[in-house]
Amino acid sequence: MPYLTYHDGEETQRFEITRKLTGVGRAADNDLCLSDSAVQAYHAQILKDGKNFVLSSLDRAAVLVVNGKDRRNYSLKDGDLLMFGGTELTFSLEEPHGEDAAVISGRHASPTSTPLRVAVPGAVDPRLEKIATFAGKLLLGMQVPEVFKTLLDSVIELCGANKGFLIHLQGDSIQIPAARNIDRVDVGADTAQVSDSVIARVIKERKPIIIADALNDTILGQSKSVVDLQLSSVMCVPLTARDSLIGVLYLGNEGIEGLFTEDDLEILKIFAAQAGLILHNALLLDDLRLENEDLAQAVQAGTGLGGSMIGNHPRMVEVFRTIEKVAPTDITVLVTGDTGTGKELVARELHSRSNRRKKPFVSINCGAIPENLLESELFGHKKGAFTGALADKQGKFEDANGGTLFLDEIGEMPMNLQVKLLRVLQEREIERVGEGKARPVDIRVVSATNKDLAHEITTGRFREDLYYRLNEITVGLPALRERGDDIALIAKHLLKRFGVLYQSKISSFTTEALEAMRTYVWPGNVRQLENRIKKALVMSDGAMLTASDLGFDGEETPEALWLPLNDAKENFQQRYIKECLEAHSWNKAATARALDVDPRTIFRYIEKFKDD
């Protein structure tokens, strides 16, 4: 058995090389740890290649001299003198005689530690101590990515592999959250780097395997992945937690046959039993952390712990029940309701409660984008497809891939795009403008409208086949004026939310203000209510918001109904249109669509407002 002999202060130390791959450096997790400050953390390695022992530098800054000459790679010979930093070592193929030295076998602590332990039968394998050290690291509150990397670094160092991969199973798919090499460097998460045949066998049998010469293995040697990767030594073990298979640990080496031993496999099995449980808990904690962050964001945004929608009205309770049942599925949902009733909130709630919640939620207003640009916004375009297309562009469908796409004001979509949307929903493929190449997309579509699409179909403005494709489930939102006591509940919620935003000390409404809000018609729905409360919080000097602060100055009193019928009707229409304009930030086209009138009607009333 070969040895490295060196001096540590006044003592002579002798290290026995027992493994196929031996790491030397200043870091404590090397096989041979040198306390010399001139030695790099991971200075060099000695690889047993058949009967040869090959010395290789692991760090560009490492001083590595053999028999007085700088070396990066060198086949060691008996009696070679090595210089690692400022430490001189002698390599010998047999144990030197006539020299007093403490013999160190296997992985051990720094030579500065006392006492040095000599390997004796029945002694605890130092690798088991590494497992305990690893477990201690994971209990320090690492995030999941760091847990994965620490796991792989430890197991590669334990078994002398040159690469390691952590395979995480999610349903029928596999992911590689961590892939590392012996230099503790990420090597990418490409699944082409691992043998799918080896992994499939471990997953199927749920048993560890060790292969000394993968290319000549009778079962796996003909596997395309084994041949392509030119695998030599492979070791793969399952990771389980509570009888569930959560992944596998995969170690490989392309250059050395017989690198791993049954002893290595036993150590790895012990390691995997502990690591599987730790990883399972780490993943659970990560999920809890993400949920906690979502809740914190919801609280900060003022949406409360019950989600982004609140209300006790029977119609809203039915909406919540529908969302709860439909959210976990990929069924297409059409949300209907007046402008400002919260249709996008429904879409976001469906997304946040679905299995797609960690993927993108993308929203597009089909009525706010010119017809000639809408196709490019939805599907993307190729460079040069039209004037102004200066580069390839990804559309909203591709932006939402894996997640949810919300198509607001779907009733405004032009007929030619309705045909293309129908094809996307049927084929789950899109084509960028000017490209002619199908691109698969995995999305859930939620659409919304304030129009009666059934009526639009009879007038020829909306395709019936698209309507049925979009309308697998309908969620109908009631107008704010129809929600009774919910108005006060929403108003108090908004007051608390905007009070924090504007740093206001106002925390309540007067009784008259609550009654005025409850009886008001609210043509702009919740959006209009938000605007009134924001304005009142900024402008009010009182301790409570009054009806006057909210803009109710008596025009809603019964006396207004004592006017002649035509005058009362005209007064109501003027107030109603003005409120709707305010709710839509005086966007005339949006107001006309909300009220389902000709835009010229809105312009005519605006002129009356000026005259007044």
Side-chain angles (χ1 to χ4, degrees):
M1 190 64 68
Y3 289 82
L4 289 172
T5 305
Y6 60 98
H7 295 281
D8 177 30
E10 296 180 355
E11 295 184 4
T12 298
Q13 311 283 5
R14 187 173 302 142
F15 177 81
E16 183 180 7
I17 300 175
T18 60
R19 300 177 60 78
K20 291 183 180 294
L21 191 65
T22 300
V24 184
R26 196 176 67 253
D29 53 358
N30 284 284
D31 295 280
L32 174 57
C33 178
L34 301 175
S35 57
D36 184 350
S37 61
V39 172
Q40 301 301 314
Y42 300 96
H43 199 93
Q45 68 178 22
I46 299 174
L47 174 66
K48 182 182 178 183
D49 186 6
K51 295 182 179 181
N52 297 320
F53 291 85
V54 179
L55 174 68
S56 302
S57 173
L58 293 178
D59 193 311
R60 290 184 178 181
V63 174
L64 190 60
V65 178
V66 182
N67 300 326
K69 295 183 178 180
D70 290 338
R71 301 286 188 180
R72 287 293 158 187
N73 290 281
Y74 179 80
S75 184
L76 292 169
K77 300 177 184 63
D78 188 39
D80 281 339
L81 294 178
L82 318 178
M83 184 66 75
F84 289 3
T87 301
E88 186 177 81
L89 304 93
T90 302
F91 175 79
S92 56
L93 291 173
E94 300 294 339
E95 182 177 1
H97 297 287
E99 189 174 348
D100 236 356
V103 179
I104 310 165
S105 177
R107 297 164 191 267
H108 64 288
S110 167
T112 58
S113 302
T114 57
L116 289 170
R117 288 181 295 171
V118 179
V120 296
V124 176
D125 191 324
R127 291 177 293 175
L128 296 177
E129 296 180 357
K130 292 289 185 181
I131 296 176
T133 302
F134 166 72
K137 288 180 181 178
L138 295 189
L139 295 176
L140 295 178
M142 289 183 180
Q143 300 295 334
V144 169
E146 284 71 32
V147 171
F148 290 160
K149 291 179 180 180
T150 302
L151 184 155
L152 273 184
D153 288 342
S154 298
V155 76
I156 290 170
E157 190 258 337
L158 265 174
C159 299
N162 66 2
K163 284 184 182 179
F165 300 85
L166 183 115
I167 314 294
H168 182 214
L169 303 179
Q170 290 189 317
D172 295 331
S173 65
I174 66 171
Q175 293 185 345
I176 302 182
R180 307 276 279 179
N181 65 16
I182 194 171
D183 299 323
R184 299 177 180 242
V185 175
D186 292 327
V187 294
D190 186 0
T191 55
Q193 297 182 88
V194 296
S195 169
D196 51 9
S197 301
V198 173
I199 294 170
R201 180 174 164 186
V202 173
I203 292 174
K204 180 180 179 181
E205 299 178 2
R206 290 201 179 189
K207 293 180 181 179
I209 61 173
I210 180 171
I211 305 171
D213 184 2
L215 284 170
N216 295 315
D217 186 82
T218 54
I219 298 176
L220 296 170
Q222 301 305 311
S223 166
K224 184 177 185 300
S225 59
V226 170
V227 174
D228 290 346
L229 293 168
Q230 292 294 296
L231 292 177
S232 295
S233 298
V234 180
M235 191 160 52
C236 191
V237 296
L239 290 177
T240 60
R242 299 179 182 176
D243 297 326
S244 296
L245 183 66
I246 62 173
V248 298
L249 276 176
Y250 176 101
L251 303 180
N253 193 303
E254 297 85 8
I256 308 174
E257 297 175 6
L259 175 66
F260 307 124
T261 66
E262 290 294 333
D263 181 51
D264 291 323
L265 187 60
E266 289 302 314
I267 288 291
L268 189 59
K269 285 163 63 177
I270 297 172
F271 187 95
Q274 188 177 47
L277 183 59
I278 293 173
L279 282 176
H280 176 70
N281 291 336
L283 290 168
L284 289 177
L285 286 172
D286 195 51
D287 286 342
L288 289 174
R289 180 182 60 80
L290 290 173
E291 289 180 14
N292 192 43
E293 288 176 359
D294 291 342
L295 288 174
Q297 291 174 2
V299 171
Q300 188 174 3
T303 57
L305 299 178
S308 58
M309 306 180 72
I310 59 175
N312 294 321
H313 190 275
R315 289 185 62 183
M316 290 306 298
V317 171
E318 185 60 31
V319 168
F320 300 151
R321 286 175 180 167
T322 301
I323 291 174
E324 185 176 4
K325 291 179 180 179
V326 172
T329 72
D330 272 348
I331 199 167
T332 305
V333 178
L334 176 66
V335 188
T336 62
D338 292 350
T339 298
T341 50
K343 295 187 288 295
E344 183 166 345
L345 291 180
V346 173
R348 290 186 179 276
E349 197 70 18
L350 287 167
H351 176 73
S352 66
R353 297 190 186 192
S354 73
N355 296 329
R356 298 174 178 267
R357 60 184 174 276
K358 295 181 181 179
K359 298 295 183 178
F361 175 89
V362 177
S363 174
I364 182 170
N365 188 322
C366 300
I369 300 173
E371 181 177 343
N372 61 326
L373 297 178
L374 183 57
E375 182 177 5
S376 172
E377 285 295 314
L378 286 171
F379 307 122
H381 62 250
K382 186 175 177 60
K383 179 181 178 180
F386 50 84
T387 303
L390 303 179
D392 290 352
K393 178 187 176 183
Q394 182 171 284
K396 298 295 185 183
F397 273 90
E398 289 182 84
D399 290 344
N401 197 27
T404 302
L405 178 65
F406 176 56
L407 301 174
D408 198 8
E409 294 193 32
I410 190 67
E412 303 296 331
M413 180 174 283
M415 288 293 288
N416 66 313
L417 289 186
Q418 291 181 31
V419 177
K420 295 187 177 182
L421 174 59
L422 178 63
R423 181 181 178 277
V424 172
L425 295 176
Q426 290 173 336
E427 305 297 332
R428 298 294 167 174
E429 293 180 342
I430 61 101
E431 289 185 9
R432 292 183 180 180
V433 177
E435 185 174 65
K437 171 187 173 183
R439 295 172 178 263
V441 288
D442 172 26
I443 57 169
R444 180 187 195 169
V445 174
V446 179
S447 54
T449 184
N450 59 3
K451 289 188 172 183
D452 181 354
L453 292 186
H455 175 69
E456 295 294 296
I457 291 171
T458 62
T459 60
R461 291 193 293 264
F462 202 84
R463 291 181 62 94
E464 186 174 10
D465 47 5
L466 177 59
Y467 172 73
Y468 290 118
R469 183 64 74 168
L470 293 172
N471 189 28
E472 293 177 337
I473 290 288
T474 301
V475 176
L477 292 176
L480 184 61
R481 61 183 175 275
E482 300 170 355
R483 294 179 59 179
D485 292 337
D486 271 3
I487 297 175
L489 183 66
I490 296 170
K492 292 175 181 178
H493 171 74
L494 294 173
L495 178 64
K496 182 178 179 180
R497 173 183 172 185
F498 295 129
V500 173
L501 181 64
Y502 298 126
Q503 299 180 341
S504 173
K505 296 182 180 179
I506 301 174
S507 59
S508 60
F509 299 95
T510 64
T511 303
E512 292 77 12
L514 289 172
E515 181 61 20
M517 288 188 290
R518 192 184 69 79
T519 57
Y520 185 56
V521 175
W522 297 110
N525 292 292
V526 178
R527 190 174 297 141
Q528 183 187 4
L529 178 61
E530 284 184 356
N531 289 345
R532 287 219 180 187
I533 292 175
K534 284 181 183 179
K535 181 180 178 180
L537 277 172
V538 172
M539 302 302 295
S540 176
D541 296 321
M544 303 173 70
L545 290 185
T546 65
S548 178
D549 291 330
L550 294 167
F552 300 110
D553 294 320
E555 72 269 27
E556 284 77 31
T557 59
E559 285 78 7
L561 301 178
W562 298 344
L563 297 171
L565 184 59
N566 287 337
D567 291 346
K569 180 180 178 181
E570 180 63 20
N571 286 348
F572 172 78
Q573 286 181 337
Q574 285 193 36
R575 289 201 311 272
Y576 194 82
I577 292 172
K578 190 172 184 179
E579 294 283 2
C580 198
L581 280 164
E582 289 178 354
H584 291 85
S585 302
W586 287 80
N587 184 314
K588 306 172 189 63
T591 302
R593 285 197 298 269
L595 298 178
D596 198 20
V597 297
D598 190 290
R600 289 173 294 185
T601 301
I602 304 302
F603 282 100
R604 187 169 64 250
Y605 271 95
I606 289 175
E607 292 301 319
K608 290 184 179 181
F609 300 152
K610 292 179 181 179
D611 294 340
D612 294 341

